[in-house]
Amino acid sequence: YYTFKPGDRVLDALNSAGPTPDADLSKVNVIRVDKAKNVAKMARVDIQKFLTKGDMTGNVPLQPGDVLYIPDKHKSFSFQDVFGLASGLSVLGTVKSLFTGGL
């Protein structure tokens, strides 16, 4: 778990929580729940680009309640993993994929 502070970004959370050695940092998913619309939005960001090329586009600002889902390098990514996580957040609506690098 990571305690959110205003102004925090994806790298702040990763630095504090410390990803596992098997974390696939090229496929970090930021899940944001809009409780008013009963929808979760997901954006995939590539933190590996930052680490190798200094590309800061993946270091998006976080909001309270955001969830970072980082798949394992050795396990294929499944939307069922994300849907399972979203249902655990009591999201009854749909999960919208926004693979644009931002929310």
Side-chain angles (χ1 to χ4, degrees), residues 46-96:
D46 187 346
I47 295 302
Q48 192 64 36
K49 274 187 185 178
F50 166 73
L51 297 174
T52 58
K53 299 178 182 177
D55 183 350
M56 292 294 289
T57 57
N59 194 21
V60 297
L62 296 175
Q63 294 181 6
D66 283 356
V67 174
L68 293 181
Y69 175 78
I70 306 165
D72 189 304
K73 286 185 222 179
H74 307 293
K75 181 182 174 202
S76 61
F77 175 76
S78 162
F79 281 106
Q80 290 177 332
D81 296 332
V82 176
F83 286 124
L85 177 63
S87 67
L89 296 170
S90 299
V91 176
L92 301 174
T94 60
V95 175
K96 292 185 178 180

Side-chain angles (χ1 to χ4, degrees), residues 4 7 10 17 20 22 37-38 42 62 66 72 91 97 99 103:
F4 172 80
V10 171
T20 67
D22 292 329
K37 294 180 181 178
N38 200 29
M42 183 176 72
L62 296 175
D66 283 356
D72 189 304
V91 176
S97 298
F99 294 103
L103 292 173

Side-chain angles (χ1 to χ4, degrees), residues 2-10 12-13 15-17 61-65:
Y2 171 75
T3 304
F4 172 80
K5 295 180 291 306
D8 282 354
R9 294 179 170 269
V10 171
D12 297 314
N15 284 333
S16 179
L62 296 175
Q63 294 181 6

